[in-house]
C-alpha cells in the first residue's frame, strides 16, 4: 500500500496560516509588554521568561502526553487510540521543535541571562540550608546535562516509533507490531521516570524549597488531559475526510469523552490529595506553597479551579449525549484546555517574585501573548507534520478488528458507559 | 474476541493473545452445569477439604487469641512506645489492600468494557468481602476494649462529644464501613440471577427453599434485566471512586501526619496501586488451585490468567515507582529528617525487611515480563506468594522504620511482633480461607449469567 | 376488562419457548409489530435490545441514584459542619473550626453509601422483587429460563389477546418456537 499524504481541511489550513502570523506577533508583543513589568528583582527578560515558561509548559504537554498515549496505544490497542494514533505521532514529531523552543529556558542557569531558577542559582551562601542541601542535584551543569539527555532520549524514541509506523504503512509487515508491543511498556516507564525528573527540574525547582512526590503523577495526568482534549479537537476537524471518515464513529468520541472524564477526576483526586496532605501536616517547608496560592485574589482562582476545572466538566461529561456528539465534545475540549491554562498559571506564576501574592493582570497579559506566540510556532509545525502521513495506519493487522466493530455498535454501547 | 482467530485469517499468529475467553465447545447449559454442579453436587475435592480444615483450625486459633487479648489487654502484642501501631495496622492495611482487586475487577473493568472480567468477578468480589471482614476487625480489636468500639461512631451522647472529624482514623471508619457494605450489596445483587439458576436446578427441597428465598423470585424478565443492568452500571460507577477513596483514606492515616516516611504526597495513588497489586496476586493465589480442583479451566482460562498476571506486573511497576519516588524525593528534599529516615529504612536496623520487600515487589514480578511465567501456573503461583509477602513487608517497613526512629533520638526504640501477634495474623488468614471454602461450597463462584453473555458474544448471530 | 369474557380469568398468557436469544429478540419484535403490547420476555442473561423490543425504554433508577447521592453528601458534610462549628467548636492543632478539606473524605463516603444502597433497593423495588410467586413458574420448562431457555409471553391483559388467535399467532411466529404453551394464572 502506498503512503499518501493528508490534506488539511479548510479550517485547519486557516489556523496554520494564522499561526505563522501570531507566532512572531505574540512573542514580540510579549517581550515588549514585559518592559514596564521589570522590577529591582526581575529584569525585562526575566519577566518575559516567566511568561515563556508558562507557555512552554502548556504546549509541551501535548507532545509528551502524546508520547505516553502512543505507548498506551501499542499496549492496549483500543479503538479510540487507533483513530488518534496519527495525531499522537505527529505531536511526537514536534519534540525537536520543543527542544529548540526550550533553548531560552535551557541557557538560563548557566549564563544567568534569566533568573527563573534564582531559587537555587543565586550565590550559595544566600540560599536557605534546605536548598543548599539540594545543590548536588540542582546545579547548572548537571541540570543542563539532564535536560539535554531527556530531550535526546525522547526524540530518539519518537523517531523510532514514527519510523516503524511509517514502515508499517509502506511495507505492511505485520511483525513490526511486535516491536511496538515490546518497546511500548519500556518507553512508558521511561516517560514516567523522565517526566518525574523533568517536572522536578523545570517546574518544582522554581519553588526551590518545596517538593512533593505527587507532583510528577499530577503532571502526567495534566498532560494526558491536555492531550486528550487537543486530540478531540483535531479529530473533529479531520474526521470528515477519508480514510478516517470510513472508520470514525460516535463511539470513538464517546470513549475519548469518557477518558476526559476519567482524567478530570484523576486531576482533582491528585490535586486534592496533595493539598489535603500538606494542609493537614502544616509543615513550614511545604505549607508556604499553598499559603501563597490561597492569598488575596489567588484564592478566587483556587476556587474557580475546583468549580470549573473539576465540578463543571465532571457534570457535563457525565451526561451521555455530551459525549456522543463531535461538536459538543469539541466545545467541551476547548473549555477544558482553557481550564488547563488557568491551572498551569496557578501552578507556576505564584512561584515568581511578587510584592505580595496575587494575580497581576499585566503579567497575565504577557503570559497570554507568549502562550499564543509559542502556540503559533507549534501549531504551524504540528499541522505541517500532520499532513505527512495518512490519518490511519491501515496496514496494522489489529486495526480492522479494533475499528471494524461498527455493526455491533448497539452491543458495545449498551454494555458500557459511565 | 473470538473474531480475532476466525474472522481475520490474515492476523499473524505471533500477535494473537493467549487462549480464548471460554475454551472448548460450550453451550449455555454446559456453562450453567459446570458452575452450579460445584454447589449442588458437592464433590468435595481433597484440596477443598484441606483448605476448609486448616482454615477452620486457624479460625479457632484466632478465636483463642481474641479471648486472651480481651482478657489480658493489648500488652500481649509487641506494641510499645514509640510503635503503638504494630501489626494490627499492618495487617489491617494488608487485608484491606487485598480486598481492592475484587472491586477493581467487578467495577472498573466493567466500566472499561473488559469482558474477560466476567469469569473472575464473583470470585474476586467474595475475596473483597472476606478480606474487608478480616481487615475491619483489626482497628476494633486494637482498642483492646472491644465493648467501647461504638465510641468511634458519631452518635448523640450525654457528654455532647463528637468523634474527631479532622482525623483520618475517623475517615477510615466511614470508608471501611461504606466499602464493606456497598461491596456486599454489589455482590448480592450480582448473585440474584445465579441464585435463581441454583433454585431451578436444585434437587433437594431444602436447597430449593434456601436458594429460592435468596433469589427473591428472580425470573429473568427483560424489564428486570434492563433495570438490573442500569443499576449494575451505576454501582460500578460508584464503586470505582469508592475503592480509590478507601485506600487513599487508609494512606491518609499515614500521610497527613508529619512523620518522615509517612508524610509523602504520593501515598494515595501509590497505596491504591499497591492494593490492586496485592489483590490480583491473591485472586491468582486462590483461583489457580480452585479452578483446577473443580475443573473450571474452560471458564477461567489461560487468557484470564495471562491478563491478571499482566495487571499484577503493571501495578508492581507503579508500586516500585512509589518506592523510587520516595527515595529520590527524600534525598532531593534536602531535609535532614527525610534523608535520615530513608537512610535508616534502607541501611538501618530494619534493612533486611526493606531488601526483602524489594526482592518480593520489584525483583520477583519482573519475571512476569516473560510469557512462560504468565502461563505456567506453578511459576505464577510462586510469584504471587512473593507478592503476598512483599505487600505485608511494605506496610511493616512503613510503620516500623518511621516510628522506631522519629525526630528525637531520645525516643527511638525497637519493635518486634510476639507470638500472639503471629497467632492473630495467621488466625485471620485461616478465617479468610475458611470463609472462602464456605463460599465456594454454597455460592456459585463464577457469575454464570455473565459468562453466558460472553458465550453469546462469542457465538451469537451478529458475529 | 371486557376481553376477559373471551378466555376466562384462568390464563395469565401464552408463552413461546426458544433456545436462542437472537430468535427470542426477533419473535418479540414480530409480536410488537403485530400490535401486542402487554408482553414480557424472559432470558437467562441480559439480551441487548430485548427490553426495547417489548417497548420498555426508560428507567428511573439513575434519578434515585443522583438524588440519594446528593442527599448523602449533604448529610455527611452537614453533620461534620454542625459537629465541629456549631455544636462543639474546639480548637484542634490550630486548624480552623470550619476545616472543609478534612470534611471531604467523609462527605464522599456518605454520598456513595446513600447512592449505592438507594440504587440497589430502587432497582429491586421497581422490579417488584422479592416476588415469590409468579404465573410463569407454572410452566414446567420455565425452570430452564435460568439456564438455556428463552421465553416470550403475551399476557391476557393485552387488548388484542384472544386465547386461540394468539396461540395460533405464536405457533406461526418466525422463528418457530420449540413449544407454545398456555400459562395458567
Amino acid at each position: 500500500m502506498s503512503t499518501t499524504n493528508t490534506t488539511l481541511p479548510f479550517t485547519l489550513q486557516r489556523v496554520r496560516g494564522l499561526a505563522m502570523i501570531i507566532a512572531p506577533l505574540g512573542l514580540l508583543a510579549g517581550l515588549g509588554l514585559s518592559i514596564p513589568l521589570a522590577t529591582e528583582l526581575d529584569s525585562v527578560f526575566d519577566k518575559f521568561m516567566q511568561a515563556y515558561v508558562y507557555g512552554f509548559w502548556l504546549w509541551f504537554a501535548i507532545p509528551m502526553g502524546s508520547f505516553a498515549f502512543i505507548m498506551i496505544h501499542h499496549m492496549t490497542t483500543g479503538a479510540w487510540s487507533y483513530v488518534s494514533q496519527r495525531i499522537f505521532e505527529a505531536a511526537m514529531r514536534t519534540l525537536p521543535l520543543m527542544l529548540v523552543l526550550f533553548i531560552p529556558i535551557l541557557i538560563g542557569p548557566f549564563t544567568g541571562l534569566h533568573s527563573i531558577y534564582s531559587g537555587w542559582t543565586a550565590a550559595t551562601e544566600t540560599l536557605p540550608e534546605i536548598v543548599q542541601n539540594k545543590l548536588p542535584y540542582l546545579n547548572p551543569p548537571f541540570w543542563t546535562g539532564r535536560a539535554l539527555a531527556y530531550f535526546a532520549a525522547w526524540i530518539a524514541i519518537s523517531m523510532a516509533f514514527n519510523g516503524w509506523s511509517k514502515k508499517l504503512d509502506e511495507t505492511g509487515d505485520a511483525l513490526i507490531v511486535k516491536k511496538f508491543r515490546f518497546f511500548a511498556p519500556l518507553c512508558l516507564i521511561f516517560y514516567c521516570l523522565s517526566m518525574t525528573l523533568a517536572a522536578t527540574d523545570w517546574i518544582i525547582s522554581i519553588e526551590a524549597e518545596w517538593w512533593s512526590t505527587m507532583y510528577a503523577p499530577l503532571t502526567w495526568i495534566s498532560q494526558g488531559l491536555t492531550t486528550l482534549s487537543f486530540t478531540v479537537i483535531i479529530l473533529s476537524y479531520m474526521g470528515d475526510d477519508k480514510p478516517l471518515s470510513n472508520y470514525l464513529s460516535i463511539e470513538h468520541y464517546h470513549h475519548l469523552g469518557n477518558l476526559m472524564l476519567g482524567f478530570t477526576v484523576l486531576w482533582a483526586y491528585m490535586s486534592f490529595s496533595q493539598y489535603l496532605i500538606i494542609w493537614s501536616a502544616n509543615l513550614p517547608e511545604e505549607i508556604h506553597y499553598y499559603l501563597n496560592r490561597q492569598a488575596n485574589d489567588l484564592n478566587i482562582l483556587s476556587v474557580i479551579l475546583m468549580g470549573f476545572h473539576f465540578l463543571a466538566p465532571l457534570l457535563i461529561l457525565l451526561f451521555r449525549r455530551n459525549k456522543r456528539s463531535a461538536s459538543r465534545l469539541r466545545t467541551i475540549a476547548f473549555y477544558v484546555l482553557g481550564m488547563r491554562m488557568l491551572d498551569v498559571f496557578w501552578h507556576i506564576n505564584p512561584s515568581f517574585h511578587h510584592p505580595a501574592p496575587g494575580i497581576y493582570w499585566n503579567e497575565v497579559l504577557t503570559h497570554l501573548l507568549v502562550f499564543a506566540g509559542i502556540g503559533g510556532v507549534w501549531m504551524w509545525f504540528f499541522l505541517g507534520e500532520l499532513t505527512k502521513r495518512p490519518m490511519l495506519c491501515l496496514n496494522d493487522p489489529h486495526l480492522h478488528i479494533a475499528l471494524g466493530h461498527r455493526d455491533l455498535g448497539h452491543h458495545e454501547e449498551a454494555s458500557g458507559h459511565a | 474476541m473470538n473474531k480475532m482467530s476466525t474472522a481475520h485469517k490474515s492476523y499473524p499468529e505471533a500477535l494473537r493473545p493467549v487462549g480464548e475467553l471460554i475454551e472448548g465447545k460450550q453451550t449455555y447449559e454446559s456453562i450453567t452445569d459446570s458452575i452450579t454442579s460445584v454447589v449442588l453436587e458437592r464433590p468435595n475435592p481433597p484440596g477443598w477439604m484441606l483448605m476448609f480444615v486448616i482454615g477452620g483450625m486457624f479460625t479457632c486459633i484466632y478465636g483463642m487469641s481474641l479471648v486472651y487479648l480481651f482478657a489480658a489487654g493489648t500488652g500481649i502484642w509487641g506494641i510499645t512506645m514509640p510503635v503503638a501501631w504494630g501489626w494490627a495496622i499492618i495487617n489491617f492495611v494488608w487485608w484491606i489492600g487485598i480486598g481492592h482487586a475484587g472491586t477493581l475487577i467487578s467495577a472498573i473493568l466493567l466500566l472499561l468494557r473488559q469482558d474477560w472480567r466476567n469469569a473472575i468477578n464473583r470470585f474476586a468480589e467474595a475475596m473483597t468481602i472476606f478480606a474487608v471482614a478480616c481487615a475491619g476487625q483489626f482497628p476494633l480489636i486494637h482498642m483492646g476494649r472491644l465493648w467501647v468500639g461504638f465510641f468511634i461512631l458519631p452518635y448523640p451522647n450525654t457528654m455532647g462529644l463528637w468523634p474527631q472529624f479532622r482525623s483520618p482514623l475517623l475517615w477510615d471508619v466511614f470508608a471501611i464501613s461504606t466499602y464493606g457494605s456497598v461491596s456486599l450489596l454489589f455482590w448480592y445483587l450480582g448473585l440474584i440471577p445465579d441464585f435463581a439458576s441454583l433454585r431451578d436446578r436444585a434437587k433437594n427441597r431444602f436447597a430449593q427453599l434456601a436458594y429460592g428465598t435468596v433469589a427473591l423470585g428472580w425470573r429473568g424478565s427483560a424489564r428486570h434485566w434492563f433495570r438490573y443492568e442500569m443499576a449494575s452500571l451505576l454501582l460500578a460507577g460508584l464503586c470505582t471512586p469508592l475503592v480509590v477513596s478507601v485506600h487513599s483514606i487508609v494512606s491518609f492515616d499515614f500521610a497527613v501526619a508529619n512523620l518522615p516516611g509517612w508524610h509523602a504526597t504520593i501515598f494515595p495513588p501509590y497505596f491504591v496501586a499497591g492494593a490492586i497489586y496485592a489483590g490480583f496476586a491473591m485472586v491468582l493465589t486462590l483461583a489457580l488451585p480452585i479452578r483446577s480442583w473443580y475443573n473450571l479451566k474452560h471458564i477461567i482460562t489461560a487468557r484470564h490468567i495471562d491478563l491478571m498476571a499482566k495487571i499484577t506486573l503493571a501495578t508492581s511497576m507503579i508500586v516500585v515507582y512509589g518506592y523510587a519516588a520516595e527515595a529520590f524525593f527524600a534525598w532531593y528534599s534536602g531535609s535532614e529528617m527525610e534523608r535520615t529516615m530513608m537512610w535508616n529504612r534502607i541501611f538501618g536496623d530494619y534493612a533486611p525487611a526493606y531488601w526483602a520487600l524489594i526482592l518480593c515487589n520489584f525483583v520477583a514480578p519482573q519475571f512476569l515480563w516473560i510469557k512462560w511465567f504468565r502461563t505456567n501456573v506453578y511459576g505464577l503461583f510462586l510469584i504471587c506468594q512473593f507478592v503476598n509477602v512483599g505487600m505485608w513487608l511494605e506496610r511493616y517497613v512503613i510503620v516500623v522504620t518511621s516510628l522506631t526512629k522519629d525526630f528525637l533520638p531520645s525516643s527511638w526504640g525497637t519493635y518486634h511482633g510476639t507470638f500472639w501477634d503471629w497467632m492473630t495474623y495467621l488466625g485471620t488468614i485461616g478465617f479468610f480461607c475458611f470463609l472462602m471454602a464456605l463460599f465456594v461450597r454454597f455460592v456459585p463462584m463464577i457469575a454464570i449469567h455473565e459468562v453466558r453473555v460472553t458465550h453469546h458474544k462469542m457465538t451469537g448471530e451478529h458475529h | 376488562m371486557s376481553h376477559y369474557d373471551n378466555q376466562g380469568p384462568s390464563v395469565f398468557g401464552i408463552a413461546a419457548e426458544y433456545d436462542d436469544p437472537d430468535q427470542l429478540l426477533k419473535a418479540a419484535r414480530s409480536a410488537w409489530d403485530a400490535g401486542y403490547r402487554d408482553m414480557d420476555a424472559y432470558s437467562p442473561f441480559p439480551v441487548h435490545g430485548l427490553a426495547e423490543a417489548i417497548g420498555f425504554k426508560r428507567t428511573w433508577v439513575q434519578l434515585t441514584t443522583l438524588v440519594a447521592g446528593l442527599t448523602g453528601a449533604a448529610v455527611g458534610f452537614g453533620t461534620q459542619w454542625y459537629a465541629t462549628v456549631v455544636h462543639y467548636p474546639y480548637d484542634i492543632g490550630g486548624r480552623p473550626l470550619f476545616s472543609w478539606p478534612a470534611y471531604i473524605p467523609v462527605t464522599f463516603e456518605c454520598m456513595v453509601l446513600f447512592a449505592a444502597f438507594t440504587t440497589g433497593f430502587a432497582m429491586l423495588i421497581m422490579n417488584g422483587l422479592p416476588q415469590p410467586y409468579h404465573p410463569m413458574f407454572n410452566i414446567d420448562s420455565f425452570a430452564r429460563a435460568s439456564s438455556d431457555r428463552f421465553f416470550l409471553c403475551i399476557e391476557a391483559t393485552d387488548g388484542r389477546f384472544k386465547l386461540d388467535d394468539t396461540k395460533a399467532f405464536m405457533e406461526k411466529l418466525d422463528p418457530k418456537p420449540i413449544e407454545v404453551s398456555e400459562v395458567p394464572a
Side-chain angles (χ1 to χ4, degrees), chain A residues 47-312:
Chain A
K47 280 292 172 195
F48 172 75
M49 284 308 292
Q50 292 175 4
Y52 192 88
V53 169
Y54 166 80
F56 177 84
W57 192 240
L58 265 167
W59 287 104
F60 180 68
I62 300 173
M64 286 318 287
S66 299
F67 186 106
F69 277 127
I70 215 71
M71 303 310 160
I72 292 170
H73 161 69
H74 289 305
M75 287 158 70
T76 61
T77 57
W80 66 274
S81 58
Y82 268 105
V83 295
S84 321
Q85 181 183 1
R86 286 297 152 90
I87 299 174
F88 295 153
E89 285 177 356
M92 277 171 91
R93 292 199 296 276
T94 64
L95 277 168
L97 172 75
M98 279 320 258
L99 174 59
V100 175
L101 288 172
F102 188 69
I103 289 171
I105 303 173
L106 184 73
I107 55 171
F110 242 135
T111 61
L113 276 174
H114 67 72
S115 67
I116 300 292
Y117 300 108
S118 60
W120 50 272
T121 52
T124 310
E125 56 284 359
T126 63
L127 297 174
E129 194 193 333
I130 198 165
V131 179
Q132 288 189 23
N133 288 340
K134 291 180 183 186
L135 292 183
Y137 183 75
L138 294 176
N139 59 71
F142 194 22
W143 185 93
T144 313
R146 278 198 309 271
L148 291 172
Y150 310 145
F151 268 108
W154 292 333
I155 291 172
I157 292 170
S158 154
M159 281 168 67
F161 273 73
N162 272 286
W164 292 330
S165 181
K166 191 173 183 202
K167 213 168 148 199
L168 191 56
D169 263 349
E170 286 164 357
T171 64
D173 177 7
L175 291 180
I176 290 177
V177 175
K178 280 197 90 172
K179 281 188 190 165
F180 284 140
R181 289 200 187 164
F182 181 79
F183 286 104
L186 299 175
C187 293
L188 185 65
I189 293 170
F190 179 73
Y191 163 83
C192 292
L193 295 177
S194 58
M195 272 318 298
T196 302
L197 296 183
T200 309
D201 289 2
W202 305 346
I203 305 298
I204 299 184
S205 81
I206 297 173
E207 195 107 21
E209 286 179 53
W210 191 73
W211 78 94
S212 166
T213 36
M214 182 72 103
Y215 200 90
L218 185 59
T219 305
W220 310 334
I221 296 301
S222 304
Q223 292 188 340
L225 183 60
T226 311
T227 307
L228 281 171
S229 308
F230 179 76
T231 306
V232 166
I233 294 168
I234 298 296
L235 207 53
S236 71
Y237 285 115
M238 300 298 292
D240 296 333
D241 300 323
K242 282 182 182 176
L244 207 49
S245 58
N246 289 346
Y247 292 91
L248 189 65
S249 79
I250 208 68
E251 295 300 325
H252 301 131
Y253 287 106
H254 190 169
H255 209 136
L256 283 163
N258 278 339
L259 281 168
M260 282 169 67
L261 173 67
F263 274 73
T264 303
V265 174
L266 278 174
W267 173 86
Y269 164 67
M270 291 184 169
S271 306
F272 178 72
S273 298
Q274 176 175 284
Y275 175 63
L276 181 61
I277 289 168
I278 291 175
W279 178 87
S280 281
N282 203 21
L283 292 170
E285 63 263 37
E286 293 176 339
I287 194 69
H288 65 87
Y289 186 82
Y290 282 108
L291 288 179
N292 248 345
R293 284 160 178 77
Q294 280 184 345
N296 308 328
D297 42 6
L298 274 169
N299 197 25
I300 299 166
L301 183 56
S302 308
V303 175
I304 288 175
L305 282 173
M306 282 191 283
F308 296 94
H309 194 312
F310 169 56
L311 273 180

Side-chain angles (χ1 to χ4, degrees), chain A residues 130 133-134 137 174 178 181 189 196 200 211-214 216 220 269 277 280-281 283 286 397-398 408 411 416-417, chain B residues 11-12 15 113 233 244 248 252 255-256 258 263 265-266 268-269 317 321 328-329 331-334 339 457 462:
Chain A
I130 198 165
N133 288 340
K134 291 180 183 186
Y137 183 75
K178 280 197 90 172
R181 289 200 187 164
I189 293 170
T196 302
T200 309
W211 78 94
S212 166
T213 36
M214 182 72 103
W220 310 334
Y269 164 67
I277 289 168
S280 281
L283 292 170
E286 293 176 339
H398 199 86
L408 319 175
H411 218 114
H417 63 267
Chain B
Y11 200 69
L15 301 176
R113 307 176 189 182
L233 211 53
V244 173
S248 300
F252 288 151
V256 302
N258 52 22
H263 178 69
T265 48
I266 202 173
M317 300 313 289
Y321 174 83
F328 171 71
F329 280 97
W331 176 70
Y332 172 84
S333 73
R339 286 179 171 187
K457 281 192 185 173
H462 41 250

Side-chain angles (χ1 to χ4, degrees), chain B residues 122-255:
Chain B
R122 169 73 42 74
F123 195 82
E125 282 167 37
M127 190 195 75
T128 296
I129 291 161
F130 303 145
V132 173
C134 291
Q137 297 180 42
F138 280 103
L140 289 172
I141 63 174
H142 189 228
M143 295 175 191
R145 286 180 284 177
L146 189 66
W147 49 94
V148 296
F150 63 92
F151 278 17
I152 56 180
L153 297 171
Y155 70 101
N157 58 68
T158 48
M159 296 170 282
L161 278 173
W162 291 91
Q164 174 50 275
F165 284 111
R166 294 178 192 88
S167 160
L169 297 178
L170 183 75
W171 307 341
D172 260 351
V173 174
F174 280 83
I176 304 300
S177 50
T178 301
Y179 185 50
S181 49
V182 172
S183 299
L184 197 61
L185 174 82
F186 199 20
W187 188 61
Y188 177 63
L189 292 181
L191 272 166
I192 291 175
D194 289 353
F195 280 144
S197 296
L198 286 175
R199 169 197 68 200
D200 294 342
R201 311 203 125 222
K203 299 282 186 292
N204 86 53
R205 187 72 193 137
F206 177 74
Q208 284 175 341
L209 269 175
Y211 290 121
T213 308
V214 286
L216 304 179
W218 182 265
R219 56 184 189 274
S221 151
R223 291 185 174 82
H224 291 187
W225 279 123
F226 192 76
R227 295 197 188 96
Y228 181 88
E229 287 220 286
M230 176 54 79
S232 301
L233 211 53
L234 288 166
L235 282 173
L238 289 167
C239 284
T240 300
L242 174 66
V243 66
V244 173
S245 81
V246 170
H247 225 65
S248 300
I249 288 174
V250 169
S251 83
F252 288 151
D253 288 348
F254 303 97

